[in-house]
Amino acid sequence: MCNPEETALLQLEETFSATLARIDSLVLQPLLLATPEPSDPWGRECLRLLQQLHRSSQKLWEVTEESLHSLQERLSHPDAIGLETLLLLRGADHVLQVHMEYLESYTSCVVVQAFQKIAKRRSEYGQKQRKVLRQFLSDMSLEGTAGPTLVEALRQPLTHHMQQYVLLLLSLGDTIKERHPARELVVHAATLFGNLQSFMRQALDQAVATQALWPTLSSRLRDVLCSPAHRLLQDSQDIPVTVSPLRAQRVLLFDDTLVLLQGHHVHTFDLKLVWVDPGQDGCTFQVLTPEEEFSFCAKDPQGRVVWQWKVTQAVSQALRGKKDFSVLGAGLEPPEPPACRCVEYTFRMEGRLCQATYEGEWCRGRPHGKGTLKWPDGRNHVGDFCQGLEHGFGIRLVPQATEDKFDCYKCHWWEGNMCGYGVWPSVLLLSRYSTDEVYKGYFQEGLRHGFGVLESALQAPQPYKYTGHWERGQRSGYGVGEDGDRGERYIGMWQADQRHGLGVVVTQAGVCYQGSFQADKIVGPGVLLSEDDLLYEGSVTRDLNLVGKGKVTFPNGFTLEGSFSNGAGRGLQTQGVLDTAALPPDPSSIRKRQLGLGAFPVESRWQGVYGPFRDFVRASCPGDLQEALLGFHTQSSRELRKSQEYLCCQRTHPKDSKSSIEDILEELLRHQEPKALQPYLRKALSNSLHPLGKLLRTLTLTFQATYAGVGANKHLQGLAQEEVKQHAQELWAAYKGLLQVALQRKGQALEEEEDAETRDLRVHGLVLPLILSSFYPELFTLYLLLHEKEDSLYSQGITNLSLFPDTKLLEFLDVQKHLWPLKDLTLTTNQRHSLVRNKCFLSATECLQKIVTTVDPREKLEVLERTYGEIEATVSRVLGREHKLPMDDLLPLLIYVVSRARIQHLGAEIHLIRDMMDPMNTGGLYDFLLTALESCYEHIQKEDMRLYRLPSRWGSRDRW
């Protein structure tokens, strides 16, 4: 059975559909056909609005027909078709949207008086349509003009229809039982159309009020403000309000804009960028905009409530981007607009942001959050903002004078200035090659401050690079400067962008000079060492030429003391005393001639690198400051050009920095046990995104800048060696600092401070072997250069000993014959023992060769221990019993194994192991075996090993 309300709804839809059809055929179509194409802009706008109204009227008729059809189907088959199939119920939102579009088109025509203007143009239209319009009007006289009559003729059918909709739906809801499947649909539809009815009254009132506003304005103001989209919500002429400090004469609140009129000046403010703050007294409230703040003062508290409510309501609606029933049809408490928003705005007032367009997040009238700032001159800034200032990570593009080229500043910012780690500039856009310098390091108040690397482009006319410390934008403190044009590197102290204090200069020619500098000039005497170990003590020129009083010590021990001078084209001239009586110096004393030791305390050299990490730990490792303090991973310039990474704010690390540091600290706590600690540290140090890995990466960069290339000078080996050990200590301290923070966050007891002995054992036994690979190429090169002469003698000895067959070499080395492993030799036909080569003690030889496959001193010592074990195992097998070799027997056998292993640069290997091994091994088995290996190395260098000639009775056949 069907309800009487359904029958009434059917009759209502039939009537409304017929009315819409008559309006279209008798009113709108004739009006459009009778209107010629206007020539003025406003005439064309009115015609466009009428055409839009015609289209929305057609859609409203179509949806009414669909609703009518669904009602007819329901009434024809009440048992087969349920109530929930009605379009008014199942498609209530769609029906409502069509009504909204029609209402929007109609009120837009009302706002700009489109009906009146069109009717005025065609006066005969109004005379012909009077009888037609009477069909749609029930209580209005037709004595007036055609325009207002037309307005009312289009309004009355819609308002009457909506009123009947709401009444019938409410009545239908009362007749349906609570558990009926269509009850919720009926209640929902009744609510929607009830809100629409309230909204319709409001929309019509606003349209009429807006229409009435235009005649009160001057023609100039009307031209600026009049728009079919505007709806007047409040006028200060109705409820007075004063605005300071602007002293506006009139305030107009539209649904999308706040307008302050001051004489002929119009100040407009987009409501999406308006924030409302309650005032301190009952009559005042504050309005915040991106560039100005205003105080609105009403005559009484009631006026303030109305204005504040309407502004707040309008802001909320503007942010939604559509008219919202729950707002416009609600009581006096509109929902509070969000303080944070995402809007685009172009700044107009004078200042650093003048004409700049900001698109991104806002909070209370200021850019706040992530956003993009673009200036008309081509500058762009993408990043984080706080209270209107660049704050956090950001990327800034600055155009160069050259076309299609930009500098890219990629760094952290603090209150509008570069502060923390950054790259400046990181790449030049749209150009194949960069032509400017690149700085990677720390900033403070927009200036380079702290540790940083400044490097010119490779193709620069005078290439240079500086790695070190900065103060207020100038090189100051310890740093390494490389002058590519002169082919020299300066290692030492700087002040005000000049070399100042103690320093070391290294040249491509192998010359190394240590002395004092003042204002970039060498002052006073110094020490100069050449590649061939010539020593000079005295004064030098800028080009390191000998000048003035000084003393030269030659490699053979001779000395020359006197005065030196360099004339143009005359070479070096001297007057002095040559002493040839001195004996040649001991090679070990020559190797001890190291520069830089004591001049730059190792613990204070790279404080600019250690300092930010300590600050990070002292601040309890805040995730949002991790990149600012520890730096971020940057790609090479070539990768940057390919990826265009600078165009977004995403860094290489895809995870949130805060969560990542928490994960790091959690993992650190899970790996405190000794067995788990070493694998954890190895993983952390190899990860460039881990704080420890970032620190090691930066330290590696400083080491390479100092000792690679021109800095590969043997007289700097001691400086490099102590630096690596200091880095190990600092990395262990960094790990302990992270551990303390992790324990503190978990509320666990903090570890007691370890004593110096325990710390040293951890540093040398745990950290140093893990980080040595990062510094090994440069460090081992220095050892190679320092021990080049001994290794050359050793190589000559190895070359000579390699000519011996196995038995002859064992005999030459005085190895007792009962220890010869002849049983291991497999002879072929017509082959004698005396001809076999490289077969004895083969397992020990192959084992020793593995000493060059690792950089870890402990692993090298373990290789040596296994080699010793292989020698003893071979001897025990020969003797048929376990046998411990005394030193007298071990040394010749070890010399044999070393000569057959043919390890290059064994001297450099031995000294690196000795310098870098764990102090715990001193005096133990490893120390004993290393001492034995040193003895072998020294023995092979001796003249009888290098120059021994095979006896003449060994003919060529025997030898080969």
Side-chain angles (χ1 to χ4, degrees):
M1 291 291 293
C2 295
N3 295 310
E5 288 78 5
E6 295 178 57
T7 304
L9 278 172
L10 175 65
Q11 295 173 354
L12 181 65
E13 293 289 49
E14 287 177 342
T15 302
F16 190 56
S17 176
T19 301
L20 288 174
R22 290 200 306 274
I23 288 175
D24 181 67
S25 61
L26 300 177
V27 178
L28 294 179
Q29 287 191 32
L31 184 62
L32 290 171
L33 292 174
T35 306
E37 183 68 28
S39 59
D40 62 297
W42 266 116
R44 288 194 294 271
E45 178 66 13
C46 290
L47 180 59
R48 184 191 67 80
L49 292 173
L50 283 175
Q51 292 169 344
Q52 181 178 332
L53 177 62
H54 179 248
R55 288 192 296 271
S56 60
S57 175
Q58 283 289 108
K59 290 182 64 176
L60 183 58
W61 176 79
E62 291 171 0
V63 78
T64 305
E65 282 291 303
E66 291 180 31
S67 176
L68 177 60
H69 178 72
S70 67
L71 282 165
Q72 290 172 342
E73 289 290 319
R74 160 70 177 160
L75 293 174
S76 300
H77 309 284
D79 296 330
I81 299 177
L83 183 63
E84 61 275 6
T85 62
L86 295 181
L87 180 64
L88 276 176
L89 303 183
R90 61 177 173 81
D93 293 312
H94 173 63
V95 176
L96 176 122
Q97 182 62 35
V98 175
H99 279 78
M100 286 282 293
E101 291 176 7
Y102 178 79
L103 183 62
E104 181 71 19
S105 300
Y106 171 75
T107 53
S108 294
C109 291
V110 172
V111 166
V112 297
Q113 297 180 308
F115 300 121
Q116 292 89 327
K117 292 176 180 178
I118 293 296
K120 186 176 180 181
R121 288 174 180 270
R122 303 290 292 180
S123 58
E124 67 275 10
Y125 169 82
Q127 297 172 1
K128 293 179 181 179
Q129 298 298 320
R130 283 181 181 274
K131 293 181 180 180
V132 174
L133 295 176
R134 185 179 288 119
Q135 302 176 32
F136 309 106
L137 298 174
S138 58
D139 57 353
M140 183 175 177
S141 171
L142 295 179
E143 298 297 329
T145 60
T149 305
L150 186 56
V151 170
E152 191 63 23
L154 295 176
R155 182 189 67 82
Q156 272 196 10
L158 180 64
T159 55
H160 175 75
H161 178 68
M162 192 55 55
Q163 182 182 8
Q164 295 301 311
Y165 252 176
V166 175
L167 291 175
L168 289 175
L169 287 172
L170 289 174
S171 178
L172 181 62
D174 292 337
T175 61
I176 298 177
K177 296 180 180 180
E178 288 288 338
R179 297 184 179 180
H180 194 282
R183 178 167 177 77
E184 287 188 7
L185 293 175
V186 173
V187 173
H188 174 67
T191 304
L192 280 182
F193 289 106
N195 287 336
L196 178 59
Q197 185 182 17
S198 300
F199 171 71
M200 187 181 300
R201 287 194 298 267
Q202 232 173 14
L204 292 171
D205 292 343
Q206 290 173 1
V208 172
T210 308
Q211 175 188 326
L213 168 68
W214 309 132
T216 68
L217 301 176
S218 67
S219 60
R220 181 176 179 181
L221 295 179
R222 190 162 54 246
D223 291 341
V224 174
L225 296 177
C226 186
S227 167
H230 275 164
R231 301 292 184 272
L232 181 64
L233 306 182
Q234 190 61 55
D235 187 344
S236 61
Q237 287 190 349
D238 298 329
I239 300 180
V241 65
T242 58
V243 179
S244 59
L246 191 60
R247 298 187 179 276
Q249 297 164 348
R250 191 173 182 182
V251 182
L252 302 174
L253 175 64
F254 292 100
D255 58 345
D256 59 350
T257 308
L258 177 65
V259 178
L260 305 181
L261 302 180
Q262 190 180 32
H264 293 295
H265 297 286
V266 180
H267 304 273
T268 61
F269 303 93
D270 186 351
L271 289 180
K272 294 178 182 178
L273 286 167
V274 168
W275 285 259
V276 179
D277 266 353
Q280 299 298 321
D281 57 63
C283 298
T284 305
F285 67 96
Q286 307 296 321
V287 170
L288 310 180
T289 69
E291 298 183 81
E292 297 176 86
E293 296 184 11
F294 303 103
S295 177
F296 279 55
C297 183
K299 286 186 175 181
D300 52 50
Q302 185 178 0
R304 191 271 304 172
V305 169
V306 173
W307 268 102
Q308 182 176 328
W309 174 75
K310 288 203 173 183
V311 173
T312 303
Q313 184 185 53
V315 170
S316 297
Q317 178 180 298
L319 290 172
R320 285 180 174 83
K322 61 180 182 179
K323 292 180 171 57
D324 194 318
F325 296 152
S326 61
V327 174
L328 294 175
L332 290 179
E333 291 298 330
E336 190 69 24
C340 296
R341 309 164 191 178
C342 191
V343 191
E344 179 178 318
Y345 177 76
T346 299
F347 291 88
R348 296 169 293 186
M349 300 181 68
E350 291 297 325
R352 71 183 190 93
L353 297 181
C354 183
Q355 300 303 312
T357 299
Y358 174 79
E359 182 179 2
E361 298 172 351
W362 296 76
C363 184
R364 296 182 57 77
R366 301 288 183 269
H368 190 89
K370 294 190 178 299
T372 301
L373 196 59
K374 297 181 179 180
W375 283 267
D377 61 6
R379 287 177 295 156
N380 288 342
H381 184 94
V382 183
D384 298 324
F385 293 80
C386 181
Q387 293 300 311
L389 297 173
E390 299 89 333
H391 192 90
F393 181 80
I395 300 174
R396 177 165 293 184
L397 304 182
V398 179
Q400 288 193 343
T402 308
E403 185 179 0
D404 293 336
K405 291 185 178 180
F406 291 77
D407 285 338
C408 180
Y409 302 78
K410 181 179 181 181
C411 55
H412 281 263
W413 301 70
W414 182 272
E415 296 181 352
N417 291 312
M418 290 181 285
C419 190
Y421 187 83
V423 179
W424 173 96
S426 62
V427 69
L428 293 179
L429 310 186
L430 308 179
S431 61
R432 186 175 181 184
Y433 302 104
S434 69
T435 56
D436 278 351
E437 57 193 17
V438 176
Y439 173 82
K440 296 180 181 181
Y442 293 90
F443 292 86
Q444 182 174 310
E445 297 181 359
L447 299 174
R448 300 165 187 161
H449 191 90
F451 171 76
V453 180
L454 179 67
E455 185 174 8
S456 67
L458 294 177
Q459 72 277 12
Q462 296 180 327
Y464 63 90
K465 181 179 180 180
Y466 174 79
T467 304
H469 300 272
W470 300 75
E471 287 185 14
R472 305 293 300 168
Q474 295 181 321
R475 291 169 287 185
S476 292
Y478 183 79
V480 179
E482 183 165 353
D483 188 334
D485 191 42
R486 295 179 61 87
E488 65 181 31
R489 181 175 297 170
Y490 173 81
I491 305 167
M493 306 306 295
W494 299 72
Q495 181 176 307
D497 254 350
Q498 294 180 321
R499 299 180 295 179
H500 193 93
L502 292 176
V504 174
V505 176
V506 190
T507 71
Q508 287 180 335
V511 175
C512 196
Y513 171 82
Q514 177 179 325
S516 296
F517 293 77
Q518 186 172 351
D520 216 35
K521 297 179 179 179
I522 300 175
V523 295
V527 177
L528 184 145
L529 292 169
S530 68
E531 193 174 24
D532 61 357
D533 295 321
L534 179 142
L535 168 64
Y536 171 75
E537 298 166 277
S539 300
V540 297
T541 65
R542 171 69 177 85
D543 296 323
L544 301 185
N545 293 320
L546 280 55
V547 64
K549 293 183 178 180
K551 178 182 179 181
V552 176
T553 301
F554 296 95
N556 60 2
F558 294 178
T559 62
L560 174 60
E561 187 170 2
S563 297
F564 300 87
S565 62
N566 271 278
R570 294 181 297 173
L572 178 65
Q573 295 180 325
T574 180
Q575 289 184 344
V577 177
L578 176 65
D579 184 0
T580 60
L583 297 174
D586 182 54
S588 62
S589 65
I590 294 179
R591 289 197 302 272
K592 290 179 181 178
R593 294 174 180 170
Q594 296 290 305
L595 300 184
L597 296 175
F600 326 112
V602 65
E603 62 275 3
S604 62
R605 283 179 209 162
W606 298 110
Q607 286 302 310
V609 179
Y610 308 139
F613 193 97
R614 295 184 188 128
D615 294 340
F616 179 66
V617 171
R618 278 196 292 267
S620 298
C621 303
D624 55 345
L625 293 181
Q626 181 180 355
E627 287 186 338
L629 292 174
L630 304 185
F632 47 81
H633 174 66
T634 55
Q635 299 154 301
S636 67
S637 295
R638 181 178 299 177
E639 290 172 328
L640 276 169
R641 292 188 186 98
K642 289 181 179 179
S643 69
Q644 306 282 302
E645 184 191 14
Y646 45 78
L647 292 179
C648 65
C649 249
Q650 298 297 323
R651 268 82 83 214
T652 307
H653 196 2
K655 296 182 179 179
D656 179 72
S657 59
K658 184 176 180 181
S659 62
S660 66
I661 195 65
E662 291 176 352
D663 294 342
I664 287 171
L665 296 177
E666 286 281 353
E667 187 178 9
L668 188 145
L669 287 176
R670 294 195 300 267
H671 296 83
Q672 297 183 65
E673 298 300 322
K675 290 184 178 180
L677 182 56
Q678 187 176 32
Y680 169 78
L681 287 177
R682 179 179 288 108
K683 178 182 177 182
L685 291 168
S686 62
N687 182 2
S688 62
L689 301 176
H690 192 286
L692 294 177
K694 288 184 178 181
L695 182 56
L696 178 59
R697 186 188 184 96
T698 306
L699 294 174
T700 304
L701 183 148
T702 64
F703 198 80
Q704 292 171 346
T706 309
Y707 305 108
V710 177
N713 191 292
K714 62 183 178 182
H715 303 299
L716 301 179
Q717 179 268 340
L719 199 68
Q721 173 197 321
E722 66 175 12
E723 202 164 289
V724 172
K725 293 181 178 180
Q726 180 65 26
H727 292 339
Q729 291 185 23
E730 292 290 345
L731 284 164
W732 177 249
Y735 163 76
K736 297 293 288 184
L738 290 175
L739 179 60
Q740 296 291 71
V741 172
L743 292 172
Q744 190 174 14
R745 288 193 178 190
K746 290 294 184 180
Q748 300 180 18
L750 302 181
E751 287 193 342
E752 295 182 1
E753 188 173 348
E754 58 190 2
D755 56 70
E757 183 178 355
T758 304
R759 183 186 67 247
D760 290 344
L761 291 177
R762 287 290 195 179
V763 168
H764 287 86
L766 183 61
V767 181
L768 187 59
L770 294 176
I771 70 169
L772 194 56
S773 60
S774 299
F775 308 104
Y776 194 80
E778 293 76 27
L779 183 63
F780 191 66
T781 299
L782 296 177
Y783 275 90
L784 289 179
L785 296 172
L786 185 61
H787 301 281
E788 186 176 16
K789 290 184 178 180
E790 304 117 87
D791 277 339
S792 177
L793 297 176
Y794 157 79
S795 296
Q796 293 177 23
I798 290 295
T799 301
N800 188 65
L801 294 177
S802 65
L803 301 175
F804 284 80
D806 286 351
T807 55
K808 298 300 181 181
L809 181 56
L810 290 170
E811 179 183 0
F812 173 70
L813 295 175
D814 291 331
V815 176
Q816 299 183 45
K817 286 192 175 182
H818 69 282
L819 302 179
W820 293 9
L822 300 180
K823 297 178 181 179
D824 293 344
L825 303 180
T826 303
L827 303 179
T828 60
T829 306
N830 299 324
Q831 188 179 25
R832 298 192 302 273
H833 284 109
S834 60
L835 300 179
V836 176
R837 195 188 310 272
N838 300 324
K839 295 297 183 182
C840 292
F841 296 98
L842 182 60
S843 61
T845 300
E846 292 176 345
C847 184
L848 184 61
Q849 288 171 340
K850 296 178 182 178
I851 201 170
V852 298
T853 62
T854 179
V855 301
D856 186 348
R858 180 178 179 83
E859 292 180 357
K860 290 178 181 289
L861 290 171
E862 289 173 351
V863 169
L864 189 56
E865 181 184 20
R866 290 195 297 272
T867 302
Y868 171 70
E870 290 293 338
I871 294 174
E872 278 201 339
T874 302
V875 170
S876 298
R877 188 173 64 254
V878 170
L879 299 178
R881 56 183 173 82
E882 186 175 346
H883 181 74
K884 294 295 182 182
L885 288 170
M887 189 63 176
D888 290 344
D889 289 339
L890 173 63
L891 187 60
L893 287 174
L894 190 57
I895 293 175
Y896 172 86
V897 172
V898 169
S899 67
R900 288 304 190 228
R902 300 181 181 87
I903 299 172
Q904 291 185 339
H905 315 299
L906 183 60
E909 293 278 3
I910 291 173
H911 286 89
L912 188 143
I913 296 172
R914 176 68 72 188
D915 292 338
M916 295 294 172
M917 73 178 190
D918 192 337
M920 284 187 62
N921 296 321
T922 303
L925 176 61
Y926 287 155
D927 194 7
F928 164 75
L929 293 175
L930 186 59
T931 302
L933 185 62
E934 287 174 325
S935 298
C936 295
Y937 175 72
E938 293 171 359
H939 198 72
I940 292 173
Q941 294 178 58
K942 291 181 179 179
E943 188 174 356
D944 58 342
M945 290 286 187
R946 291 183 287 110
L947 303 179
Y948 182 80
R949 295 291 180 265
L950 297 178
S952 58
R953 64 180 181 275
W954 297 352
S956 60
R957 181 179 299 176
D958 290 336
R959 290 177 60 190
W960 304 107

